[in-house]
Amino acid sequence: MARVHPEGWRHLPANGAQGRELATLALLAEGLPHEFNIYHGLHWTRAEGQYAVFGEIGFVILGPDGRILLIEQQSGFLDESANGLLRPGKRRNRDISLDLARTADALRARLRPLLDGTEPVLDTLLYCPDYTVRQPGTAGLDPARIVDASRRAQLLEIVRDLCGPQHDAAKASNAAHRHALHRFFAELLELVPDVQALAGQAVALTTRLSGGLAEWARRISLHPHRLRVTATAGSGKTQLALAAYTDALHAGRRPLYVCYNRPLADHFSRVVPPGGEVATYHQLCDRRLRAAGRTPDFSAPDRFRRMETDFAALLANGNRDPAWRFDELIVDEGQDFTDAWRDSLLALLTPEGRAWWLEDPLQNLYGREPVKLPGWAGLTADTNYRTPADVLELLNDRLPLPTPIVAGSPVADSEPEVMSWHDETGLMEATKRAITRAIGLGFRRDMIAIISFRGREYSRFTPLTHLGPHRLRAFHGRYDLFGEAEYSEGELLIDSVYRFKGQSAPCVIFTEIDFEALDELTMRKLFVGATRATMKVIFVASERAAAVLAPDQA
């Protein structure tokens, strides 16, 4: 089987023209020997005076002896004219032979310096599996370089002939450049694709894949409905919560969603329909106490503990205001709750009410004992569909996780990076380098999240408004009159691993990492921070921490 770059292509949605290209990719991958390399989705540019020549091709095949074959696939119908074979367009038809010639010429110009002036051995092929070319001689291409519907079954044989092992000793010398050619194409795949477009595809695909948990968990029939879902990061817990919440509203039931972290509650409240209640546990305490005419004293040093006690006492005294009764209880981030909180929440359920408890023990950053739920049915899910597969491979290898996390993300070659620092000055400089690296890879600033390993109160970044030329968007630690969190005006989000739990970003710069020993809490914080990323993670760690995360880079 040939080697395909980048990996993860089998997880992509096979729809429309993209589906046809993925079918071709599967055919090539399975039909060519392992000495062949296949690169798909390549784009390159070459400056030519004041103009830029853009080229794009469906597949590039690198043969074992360094011969290169560009394959342009055109699904659907084509137009034939006296001027050649044309690709139908919205505004005007495009000459396929001219496009292929320009692409090949642009690539040759890029490769000559790489090969020390040697002319690359490069060929082109048009593959149109849905159309039979009626006049190959006037198509503007060598008929031998056209594989249409009538020759579709011969595609693999033709590809082997055009870039397979050579018998010409003069051309065989090009095999010495094969490694350089591979690096060239691999770097194009890493640096040039539109990261912003890929991020959107990754989010959509991750949502679809992880949506499986929401699908089959809701098919479980229980009387009474008490379901505990223990699932890893990125497995679809919040999607399940959203689906259960929406189901309740459609069925005429009133839902209550409760989590621990305020940013997660704020996000959830923005995406669900009206008709239920969304709150953190302490927000719920505050609202219920105010409804009973008891305004909490937020100036007290033990205000949160006092609120919890007053809330529990209010419910224990038999206060059953119908406005605070719910038919569906959904607890998210259940690993951060306590047995006492459990009792208070269940007291808000109607007699026939349904309850869900969603948790991930690996995200328990507060060291709380697991909540006891006797008599509840249990469901587990250990596949993470959000985090790149190679990031999970690193975590499985370097962290003492109770059980390995199964990778389900289509992103398999994100190449997590580690940048080390020695002192506070080095920390700031390394974090700035990480930002530059992320932007250089194509991530917009609003796609990057800087996550501190330390809590907000102890982070060296908390007093900062800028990091180099970048303005930081940081939580002020207070809320406005409408209960919205107040942030500084900046383009780069920075937050702590504690607050960012439950959220995600395409690119995560996980900074301020430092620890003496890889204890239980450290392991969990590293797991939580790294699994926030959907496409890229850059660790900014002290020298001793970097030695644990990436010994080969220490």
Side-chain angles (χ1 to χ4, degrees):
M1 182 174 178
R3 287 169 287 187
V4 178
H5 311 273
E7 300 175 356
W9 57 277
R10 293 188 184 277
H11 298 286
L12 294 173
N15 300 316
Q18 184 185 39
R20 301 303 306 280
E21 290 199 10
L22 288 172
T24 302
L25 181 57
L27 175 68
L28 294 170
E30 295 167 7
L32 296 175
H34 72 277
E35 296 88 359
F36 287 73
N37 283 277
I38 304 172
Y39 310 88
H40 61 99
L42 291 176
H43 301 262
W44 54 83
T45 65
R46 175 167 64 94
E48 201 170 76
Q50 60 179 335
Y51 301 102
V53 178
F54 295 86
E56 73 177 68
I57 208 77
F59 311 101
V60 174
I61 312 294
L62 179 61
D65 291 340
R67 287 200 286 176
I68 304 165
L69 176 64
L70 311 184
I71 302 179
E72 168 67 6
Q73 177 167 332
Q74 180 62 50
S75 302
F77 293 101
L78 300 174
D79 292 337
E80 292 189 59
S81 72
N83 296 324
L85 197 60
L86 304 177
R87 178 189 293 110
K90 293 182 179 179
R91 296 185 178 178
R92 61 182 178 85
N93 291 353
R94 294 169 54 191
D95 188 319
I96 293 177
S97 63
L98 186 58
D99 284 350
L100 270 173
R102 286 175 175 170
T103 296
D105 180 62
L107 184 56
R108 288 190 183 96
R110 289 287 303 274
L111 291 178
R112 288 188 194 105
L114 183 71
L115 304 180
D116 301 321
T118 303
E119 189 70 17
V121 182
L122 186 149
D123 216 328
T124 59
L125 185 72
L126 172 65
Y127 180 47
C128 43
D130 307 318
Y131 184 80
T132 299
V133 179
R134 298 187 299 273
Q135 302 175 38
T138 61
L141 294 167
D142 179 355
R145 299 299 187 268
I146 300 175
V147 178
D148 61 7
S150 67
R151 304 176 66 201
R152 186 168 52 195
Q154 303 172 42
L155 177 63
L156 286 173
E157 179 184 350
I158 294 171
V159 170
R160 292 192 197 99
D161 289 342
L162 291 177
C163 64
Q166 304 173 67
H167 302 291
D168 187 330
K171 290 184 178 180
S173 62
N174 198 54
H177 298 297
R178 189 171 183 275
H179 180 66
L181 291 169
H182 170 68
R183 288 189 59 187
F184 171 80
F185 289 122
E187 287 174 2
L188 281 179
L189 285 169
E190 177 188 0
L191 299 177
V192 179
D194 185 353
V195 170
Q196 298 166 25
L198 291 176
Q201 294 175 9
V203 169
L205 181 56
T206 298
T207 300
R208 181 174 67 84
L209 292 172
S210 60
L213 177 60
E215 178 65 27
W216 43 266
R218 288 152 59 217
R219 296 187 181 187
I220 298 175
S221 179
L222 299 169
H223 301 284
H225 188 283
R226 299 288 185 271
L227 183 61
R228 179 179 206 155
V229 180
T230 304
T232 192
S235 58
K237 293 188 297 299
T238 300
Q239 286 174 262
L240 171 57
L242 175 59
Y245 191 98
T246 306
D247 285 349
L249 289 173
H250 289 165
R253 301 191 302 272
R254 186 164 178 245
L256 167 63
Y257 171 90
V258 187
C259 63
Y260 184 81
N261 263 344
R262 178 64 182 269
L264 178 57
D266 292 345
H267 169 73
F268 198 87
S269 66
R270 287 191 290 267
V271 298
V272 295
E277 190 79 17
V278 176
T280 67
Y281 185 77
H282 291 105
Q283 277 184 308
L284 181 66
C285 294
D286 178 38
R287 293 174 191 174
R288 182 65 187 93
L289 289 170
R290 288 177 186 273
R294 300 171 59 179
T295 303
D297 179 9
F298 282 97
S299 64
D302 60 343
R303 54 191 177 277
F304 293 110
R305 181 63 58 84
R306 185 177 298 181
M307 256 200 311
E308 297 167 16
T309 303
D310 292 347
F311 178 54
L314 178 66
L315 298 177
N317 290 334
N319 191 315
R320 294 292 185 266
D321 185 342
W324 292 94
R325 297 285 279 170
F326 299 92
D327 309 298
E328 196 99 13
L329 169 65
I330 305 160
V331 177
D332 204 352
E333 299 183 302
Q335 72 280 346
D336 296 327
F337 284 57
T338 68
D339 287 348
W341 297 7
R342 170 206 62 199
D343 295 340
S344 295
L345 291 171
L346 290 175
L348 298 175
L349 265 182
T350 58
E352 298 299 319
R354 296 158 47 91
W356 308 75
W357 194 279
L358 316 179
E359 64 183 7
D360 178 9
L362 277 177
Q363 296 188 59
N364 179 1
L365 301 185
Y366 303 99
R368 296 195 171 125
E369 290 295 321
V371 170
K372 301 177 183 63
L373 297 173
W376 288 50
L379 180 66
T380 60
D382 60 359
T383 300
N384 180 323
Y385 298 97
R386 177 177 63 214
T387 308
D390 52 355
V391 174
L392 292 180
E393 181 180 2
L394 182 148
L395 297 179
N396 285 330
D397 181 57
R398 308 292 166 81
L399 302 184
L401 301 175
T403 57
I405 306 301
V406 179
S409 169
V411 181
D413 51 358
S414 70
E415 297 186 2
E417 300 178 41
V418 178
M419 297 184 179
S420 64
W421 49 273
H422 177 70
D423 52 22
E424 184 169 341
T425 300
L427 165 64
M428 298 300 169
E429 291 303 315
T431 305
K432 286 188 280 189
R433 288 200 311 273
I435 296 171
T436 301
R437 170 66 172 157
I439 294 173
L441 288 173
F443 293 99
R444 295 193 312 263
R445 286 168 176 79
D446 61 355
M447 301 167 69
I448 302 169
I450 305 171
I451 308 303
S452 171
F453 185 78
R454 300 165 67 90
R456 180 179 173 275
E457 296 81 1
Y458 306 103
S459 172
R460 299 174 180 90
F461 293 94
T462 298
L464 302 183
T465 59
H466 290 73
L467 194 56
H470 310 288
R471 289 189 306 161
L472 300 178
R473 182 172 179 265
F475 176 53
H476 280 316
R478 58 181 182 268
Y479 298 86
D480 62 20
L481 295 175
F482 300 98
E484 294 293 326
E486 293 186 356
Y487 287 83
S488 57
E489 293 185 3
E491 67 273 8
L492 270 178
L493 175 67
I494 185 167
D495 217 330
S496 74
V497 67
Y498 294 91
R499 276 183 47 85
F500 204 69
K501 182 167 60 68
Q503 303 177 78
S504 64
C507 178
V508 166
I509 297 174
F510 195 10
T511 189
E512 218 168 2
I513 301 174
D514 184 35
F515 51 85
E516 294 182 2
L518 193 55
D519 56 21
E520 185 78 9
L521 176 59
T522 298
M523 180 266 291
R524 292 176 180 175
K525 289 169 67 175
L526 290 172
F527 174 81
V528 169
T531 55
R532 300 308 95 198
T534 62
M535 295 187 68
K536 181 73 176 179
V537 178
I538 303 176
F539 298 94
V540 182
S542 67
E543 292 172 348
R544 61 184 178 183
V548 175
L549 290 171
D552 55 330
Q553 299 182 33

